[in-house]
Amino acid sequence: MNIGKSVVIKGELNGSEDLTIEGQVEGKIELRQNVLTIGANARIKAQVFAKAVIILGEVTGNVSASEKVDIRDNGSVDGDIAAPRVAIAEGAHFRGSIDMQKGGASPKAETKAPAATASTQSSGQQTPAAAGDNR
């Protein structure tokens, strides 16, 4: 389904099919089991929840995806992103924080934990960190 350039929506947008937005949306967008594409002409001021979000236009607000957020060339996000996979193309704009938690594992803990604990997250880093601790 497509929402054209001249369409302006204020409020909540819910659905159970993939959606492409080229117009303006203010409020909340929920497509938790589907793909949301923010077109190059779109101007979104909303909280976004979807399975995957592809951003070619402008989003102001937090974006949450269960699979992936992809900010393409000239795409723009001013807000926080929560998704297990995030891609930001060269030429894209992003201002906010990224939370890449997935399942039971918590990659975010790696940045908050002390160095010795973080080294256990990756076997490639475990030996150098352990050697550094023994000195």
Side-chain angles (χ1 to χ4, degrees):
M1 182 173 159
N2 291 325
I3 295 177
K5 289 191 282 187
S6 65
V7 177
V8 177
I9 297 173
K10 293 185 180 186
E12 287 191 25
L13 178 58
N14 296 309
S16 58
E17 61 185 88
D18 293 349
L19 179 65
T20 299
I21 300 173
E22 289 291 346
Q24 296 180 32
V25 176
E26 291 184 28
K28 183 177 180 181
I29 302 170
E30 278 196 75
L31 301 169
R32 294 191 185 263
Q33 302 302 316
N34 302 92
V35 177
L36 172 64
T37 302
I38 309 294
N41 298 306
R43 304 293 174 257
I44 308 299
K45 292 182 182 177
Q47 286 187 302
V48 177
F49 303 92
K51 180 171 78 172
V53 182
I54 301 166
I55 301 167
L56 300 146
E58 293 181 14
V59 177
T60 302
N62 297 337
V63 179
S64 181
S66 57
E67 288 186 4
K68 182 177 183 178
V69 173
D70 188 358
I71 307 173
R72 305 267 174 95
D73 291 347
N74 300 317
S76 173
V77 175
D78 282 321
D80 298 339
I81 295 174
R85 294 185 304 150
V86 176
I88 302 174
E90 189 172 337
H93 166 82
F94 171 70
R95 181 172 47 199
S97 67
I98 298 176
D99 180 350
M100 294 179 67
Q101 293 184 358
K102 69 165 132 175
S106 177
K108 194 173 179 182
E110 194 171 318
T111 60
K112 289 185 175 179
T117 305
S119 67
T120 61
Q121 296 286 338
S122 171
S123 61
Q125 294 177 346
Q126 190 172 7
T127 305
D133 290 343
N134 290 333
R135 291 182 190 171

